[in-house]
Amino acid sequence: MTPDEFNKMLKNLRKGESVVCPICKSGKMQPVGDYKSTKCFFCSNCKKKLNLD
């Protein structure tokens, strides 16, 4: 995943849009708490986490 692809994915997550997991390609990334302010997202399929801290 390139930095541009990551930035696009992060912007879509912050808008509350559905994003496909970049690792398993079959799950959806979901926020932990409020999508506008959370620092953690997780995949609904493989359970991998994306921490923005």
Side-chain angles (χ1 to χ4, degrees):
M1 175 175 273
T2 67
D4 289 334
E5 291 172 339
F6 179 78
N7 287 337
K8 183 178 179 184
M9 181 184 77
L10 185 57
K11 286 179 184 179
N12 289 338
L13 286 170
R14 288 288 183 208
K15 290 179 188 175
E17 297 176 4
S18 179
V19 175
V20 176
C21 176
I23 297 171
C24 71
K25 308 282 191 243
S26 61
K28 302 285 184 179
M29 297 301 289
Q30 298 177 345
V32 175
D34 182 29
Y35 66 88
K36 293 178 185 176
S37 61
T38 189
K39 294 184 178 180
C40 185
F41 295 87
F42 71 97
C43 175
S44 61
N45 184 43
C46 67
K47 306 299 183 204
K48 294 289 184 178
K49 292 182 181 177
L50 170 65
N51 290 315
L52 302 173
D53 213 11

